[in-house]
Amino acid sequence: LRSPGKRAPLTGSAEATRAPRTSWLAKLGSMQRRYVAVDGGTGAHLLAALSGADVRLRAVASPRHADLLIVVEPISQSLAPALLEYARALPQPAQALIIDTAAWHPALQDGAIASDVLPGTPQVDARSAAQIIDIIQRLAPWPHLRTATEPAFTEATIALPNKQERELATELAVLSLGPIQSLTGGPLRLLLICDGEQVLQAQVEAGFARRGIAEAMVVTSWQEAARLAAALDPLAPVAGRLVYVQALEQLQQQPASAACRASRQAALAVERAGNHLWWLHRFLTFLAAPEPAARAWQAAASVEQLAGTVWQQPTAMWLAPQQAAPSAQSAAAAALQRLAGQVRSVRQRLTQQRFLEPRLRGVGVLSADVLRSAGVSGPLLQAAEHGAGDAWSRLQTRLLAAADDLEAAARVLSVAGSTVAHETNQPESDWQVPAGEADVAVTGPRGELGLHLVSDGGSGPTRVEWRRPSAAVLPLLPAALTGQKLVDAETLVASLDLAMAEADG
Amino acid sequence: MSTLLTAAGVLAALLGGAYLVAVLDCLSRPGPRHVALAFTLPLSEALGLLRQEDLVPRGADGFLFRSAPLIALAAVALAALVIPLGPHAVGFDPTIGLFYFIVVLGPFVVAMMNAGWSQNSKEGLFGTFRAAAHLIAYEVPLGFAAIGPVMDAQSLSTVRIVEAQSSLWYGVWQPLGLLIYLAAMLMVSYRHPFDIPQGGSELEDGVFAEYAGSRLLLLRIALDALFIVMTAMAVVLFLGGWRGPLLPGPIWFLLKTALLASLMLWVTRYVPRLRQDQMLGLAWKVLLPATFVNLIWVGVISLLFAGGRG
């Protein structure tokens, strides 16, 4: 919730004030780590997994309270000043860790620059929370956090609305949330002009997670572009890759077999369910409901673990044009069915306990007409069409969708188990693409992810246009936030499940 | 000399109480229990905070910023004085003990407001006003709930109130009063789900946002100690204080306090943080009318069975 330039420079010194000690007292003192995390747009699920994984690692809300800064690459140029300011707010001695999720690609214009902002910080590859915890336990010697002098931040200014002549004229306060905040999956800046707790006007600044995926895709080969397509929404790589593969198949005019399509839909459904559950954990953590949040964490972690082992090959390997799906693990269908039951019981408990409902009912209503005219699809639209369109209906819709998706995937696997397993001779992937245009869409976790792909018969795409579901929601935010109570405005943003990497492209 | 001893005893009790709350908090966290870690992690966190530098943000009001943790701890320590651990183990037993207790809690809100106001940040400013709204909301139901035991014991002295419960705890025949007190107690001690001024995920820890190192530790200790002091007062008012069979009085008192504290921590983890207006609505529209019902009930029973339970 801290922003560069909105406040006076902080006095946190960049140099270590004391040398690291290794006495038992120092060891005891560093047993409990208090961390803050900066997410460049790809780490929302990883950080959500980390936040409930180990009692020795506790997430704190203010960088002043932390002794560990976790940065998830890629960090864009525009986010760098905010990261620098954030890092300087940590009291010394503190340490930092840069995590590479490999969601970055050399063809992208902007990206891995966290090590320039935090020189000397260890940079590690990690795909799971367990790996991060392991690294934190072992990393030694670990240098103290240092920050670069560049890039300097510039004072941001904002034009306040004219003060109305009122009997009781109050000062307006500008509350700047972000770009580093935990409400969205990635950096987004909200400038809320508040009259007391009432939001009078809101400005939204996006683009902090922009990497230029579409631009990068047109300068690479067909095969490399598939990796970039998967990175469009790092929180839903299957959706991005699948829509690209389907576009290629449309250009080649060779649709995949029915069994293959079913497997792909199952993979997509499992990914959607995982996204919904991680969102639920992040949302309940924002609402500060520890017990329900822990349940959501459990369900989300199980889905993520299962998603990695359902098929005998990783999804990125078999999601390619003309390639058949590998056979699924025999026990996967039953496990998915069990998880669906677990998700349904989480939903039932949340509904029965009646603690959350009064907090969320009627908060942040977005009507179906507004959403439809803005081109929003997915759970947000469903919640408005079948429910009240408030935060509570969004939670219900996503939980129901997650359970249904898991069941659908289980059905596909139990049917496909007999047919796909015999399909032993897998044809080679075909990356030859004739000239033409393709327009396809798949249903990702946040709505329709669309791709318009143009080929001139060369070695790579000529034109790439994405239809990104989160990007469609952003223009609605200023109007939706206006007139809300401050905390309701935050709840509204958190309930939308915005993936900023996808929204910024 | 005895004054110094009392002061040292109260401070030690507060530190121990804050440690106990931190341990119970760790144990009541959902997920797998790590009993050994629950006892070491609070110590580790305290040491970790002591090793870090105390920052004062540029543009902050230095005096208010530095004084807030001290005011907070002083308020809690003064309130803790009147809590009787046993018939003679009480720091200070004035005839107006309960009244004194509620009055000296007031400055704790001042500490919270100083902390938020002085740090020269928007998060702190919003937290300040939320903290101020808290004070007015909790004070009335808390006072009215505590009047129930006073009406029957015919005394404001905390020792007298415990002695008046020799035959029956007030919590047994004034359950409504106990419930109101427990809800108001969570508000007084800024405990989840009423941790609105320092709400972590909403305001980046609001009034605590700019505190670091040992000052943050002091504020945390004061907050945890306040919670245990309020719990201890609940035991005094409604659960018979030090009274109990076999074991010596202070042991009974500590046991009851620890049990009640764990119960409160365990129950509240199911509830999300309340919105400011919900918290105010609960205090004014639910708790306050309920206290009147409780007062009438206590009045009628006390008149009908005058002296019958004393």
Side-chain angles (χ1 to χ4, degrees):
Chain A
L1 310 181
R2 196 170 302 269
S3 69
K6 285 308 297 176
R7 337 158 118 201
L10 304 163
T11 50
S13 56
E15 295 295 321
T17 46
R18 267 158 277 183
R21 286 174 298 174
T22 48
S23 66
W24 66 269
L25 209 63
K27 266 189 203 142
L28 179 63
S30 58
M31 222 166 107
Q32 166 97 72
R33 302 308 302 252
R34 295 158 279 125
Y35 74 90
V36 282
V38 176
D39 173 18
T42 64
H45 293 176
L46 189 66
L47 292 173
L50 191 64
S51 73
D54 195 312
V55 279
R56 284 166 298 180
L57 205 58
R58 195 159 69 79
V60 292
S62 164
R64 296 289 198 205
H65 302 183
D67 64 354
L68 174 62
L69 173 68
I70 296 177
V71 183
V72 183
E73 288 264 55
I75 298 291
S76 70
Q77 288 289 351
S78 48
L79 188 60
L83 170 63
L84 182 68
E85 179 76 347
Y86 204 71
R88 282 186 184 149
L90 265 76
Q92 290 289 345
Q95 285 153 331
L97 187 68
I98 299 174
I99 293 168
D100 251 323
T101 51
W104 187 72
H105 190 277
L108 298 176
Q109 30 173 286
D110 216 1
I113 59 161
S115 50
D116 300 339
V117 179
L118 310 170
T121 302
Q123 201 158 358
V124 295
D125 266 311
R127 301 284 181 283
S128 70
Q131 278 176 325
I132 299 178
I133 290 165
D134 190 49
I135 288 164
I136 288 172
Q137 304 294 336
R138 287 148 178 257
L139 207 60
W142 200 343
H144 283 324
L145 170 69
R146 293 163 133 264
T147 49
T149 44
E150 294 287 317
F153 58 82
T154 46
E155 285 283 336
T157 51
I158 181 169
L160 285 171
N162 283 329
K163 217 180 254 185
Q164 289 160 2
E165 286 302 324
R166 281 174 297 186
E167 266 182 57
L168 254 172
T170 48
E171 286 285 328
L172 299 178
V174 183
L175 190 64
S176 165
L177 301 180
I180 297 164
Q181 34 80 8
S182 53
L183 305 175
T184 55
L188 173 73
R189 187 167 184 191
L190 301 164
L191 290 165
L192 304 177
I193 301 172
C194 297
D195 181 10
E197 293 258 342
Q198 198 86 19
V199 177
L200 279 187
Q201 202 178 321
Q203 280 182 27
V204 176
E205 286 174 24
F208 293 97
R210 187 172 161 70
R211 297 147 299 157
I213 295 275
E215 291 82 350
M217 278 171 80
V218 296
V219 298
T220 53
S221 67
W222 290 108
Q223 204 165 350
E224 282 297 294
R227 277 184 59 198
L228 285 168
L232 175 79
D233 184 354
L235 308 181
V238 173
R241 199 174 163 101
L242 180 59
V243 69
Y244 177 73
V245 165
Q246 283 188 355
L248 289 197
E249 284 174 349
Q250 199 178 54
L251 286 170
Q252 296 165 337
Q253 295 181 333
Q254 281 180 319
S257 69
C260 182
R261 280 206 304 274
S263 287
R264 287 171 176 182
Q265 287 305 320
L268 196 61
V270 173
E271 183 178 80
R272 277 199 302 262
N275 266 272
H276 291 331
L277 291 172
W278 279 130
W279 166 80
L280 181 69
H281 170 71
R282 289 193 289 133
F283 189 53
L284 292 175
T285 309
F286 161 73
L287 292 174
E291 212 276 345
R295 267 175 203 287
W297 190 90
Q298 214 90 54
S302 319
V303 170
E304 186 171 279
Q305 201 189 1
L306 190 64
T309 56
V310 171
W311 286 275
Q312 282 164 356
Q313 289 174 342
T315 330
M317 298 261 295
W318 59 269
L319 263 187
Q322 318 308 333
Q323 187 150 343
S327 55
Q329 302 283 358
S330 50
L336 282 171
Q337 194 69 46
R338 251 199 323 278
L339 273 177
Q342 194 183 334
V343 172
R344 287 202 195 282
S345 82
V346 167
R347 177 168 182 267
Q348 205 177 1
R349 284 180 74 102
L350 286 184
T351 315
Q352 278 173 356
Q353 281 174 354
R354 296 189 174 279
F355 290 132
L356 276 175
E357 200 183 332
R359 179 76 171 71
L360 296 176
R361 194 172 276 288
V363 169
V365 179
L366 292 174
S367 74
D369 294 337
V370 171
L371 289 172
R372 232 179 273 121
S373 64
V376 178
S377 53
L380 292 183
L381 186 61
Q382 281 164 23
E385 277 173 346
H386 306 303
D390 55 3
W392 177 243
S393 68
R394 274 171 226 140
L395 186 144
Q396 293 275 347
T397 306
R398 286 210 180 89
L399 270 174
L400 207 58
D404 288 347
D405 276 340
L406 289 171
E407 265 166 14
R411 262 199 307 281
V412 167
L413 289 185
S414 57
V415 172
S418 49
T419 54
V420 180
H422 299 297
E423 210 171 319
T424 43
N425 52 336
Q426 291 192 355
E428 280 295 299
S429 298
D430 183 6
W431 297 100
Q432 299 294 320
V433 183
E437 285 193 30
D439 197 74
V440 283
V442 301
T443 310
R446 280 160 277 275
E448 292 271 290
L449 182 66
L451 176 63
H452 181 71
L453 196 63
V454 180
S455 163
D456 62 355
S459 61
T462 346
R463 222 178 76 217
V464 178
E465 275 167 34
W466 289 96
R467 278 195 311 280
R468 306 182 305 268
S470 290
V473 185
L474 285 182
L476 299 177
L477 272 183
L481 294 177
T482 303
Q484 304 269 6
K485 290 263 185 297
L486 175 60
V487 51
D488 285 350
E490 290 183 33
T491 312
L492 167 64
V493 176
S495 73
L496 294 177
D497 187 20
L498 295 170
M500 290 318 296
E502 174 234 289
D504 291 340
Chain B
M1 191 61 205
S2 72
T3 317
L4 279 179
L5 269 179
T6 309
V10 165
L11 282 179
L14 288 187
L15 274 179
Y19 175 67
L20 178 73
V21 173
V23 171
L24 290 176
D25 201 22
C26 216
L27 282 175
S28 66
R29 224 172 273 172
R33 304 252 178 297
H34 302 274
V35 177
L37 275 179
F39 281 91
T40 44
L41 285 184
L43 290 178
S44 164
E45 181 156 353
L47 267 176
L49 283 172
L50 281 177
R51 277 176 354 126
Q52 284 192 309
E53 56 186 344
D54 309 328
L55 296 174
V56 179
R58 203 163 288 171
D61 186 324
F63 174 71
L64 291 185
F65 189 81
R66 292 192 181 84
S67 65
L70 301 176
I71 296 175
L73 201 64
V76 182
L78 286 177
L81 270 178
V82 290
I83 290 178
L85 293 178
H88 303 293
V90 56
F92 176 44
D93 183 22
T95 50
I96 52 154
L98 186 62
F99 180 68
Y100 163 92
F101 179 83
I102 291 175
V103 167
V104 294
L105 280 178
F108 195 90
V109 180
V110 176
M112 293 286 276
M113 289 176 67
N114 279 1
W117 180 265
S118 65
Q119 59 186 245
N120 190 29
S121 80
K122 296 283 161 52
E123 289 87 0
L125 184 70
F126 279 90
T128 304
F129 289 119
R130 291 180 177 189
H134 243 70
L135 168 73
I136 312 166
Y138 79 65
E139 199 88 84
V140 183
L142 182 79
F144 273 114
I147 282 179
V150 175
M151 280 166 72
D152 189 73
Q154 305 277 316
S155 170
L156 280 163
S157 154
T158 46
V159 177
R160 276 284 308 135
I161 289 173
V162 172
E163 280 165 356
Q165 299 177 67
S166 57
S167 56
L168 190 62
W169 293 356
Y170 287 140
V172 176
W173 66 277
Q174 301 182 17
L176 186 59
L178 175 60
L179 285 180
I180 296 165
Y181 180 90
L182 291 179
M185 166 191 122
L186 288 174
M187 293 180 192
V188 176
S189 49
Y190 298 97
R191 207 78 213 169
H192 181 81
F194 302 109
D195 53 350
I196 305 164
Q198 81 275 26
S201 48
E202 281 166 32
L203 275 181
E204 207 187 39
D205 283 342
V207 298
F208 288 0
E210 295 288 345
Y211 279 88
S214 53
R215 279 193 200 99
L216 177 64
L217 178 65
L218 209 55
L219 274 174
R220 287 261 175 79
I221 289 178
L223 210 58
D224 281 352
L226 178 60
F227 175 65
I228 207 74
V229 165
M230 292 307 296
T231 317
M233 195 42 118
V235 172
V236 168
L237 290 178
F238 293 100
L239 301 179
W242 67 79
R243 294 190 167 276
L246 298 175
L247 294 171
I251 304 282
W252 266 115
F253 187 77
L254 291 180
L255 259 175
K256 287 178 188 172
T257 308
L259 271 175
L260 187 61
S262 351
L263 184 74
M264 297 308 289
L265 290 175
W266 185 77
V267 167
T268 52
R269 59 192 192 132
Y270 288 91
V271 189
R273 178 182 303 124
L274 261 68
R275 239 168 27 210
Q276 181 79 2
D277 57 313
Q278 288 176 328
M279 180 248 166
L280 294 178
L282 177 69
W284 291 109
K285 294 183 195 159
V286 181
L287 293 186
L288 190 58
T291 54
F292 294 140
V293 175
N294 182 54
L295 277 188
I296 294 168
W297 162 255
V298 174
V300 168
I301 294 290
S302 300
L303 278 180
L304 286 182
F305 305 96
R309 292 155 324 281

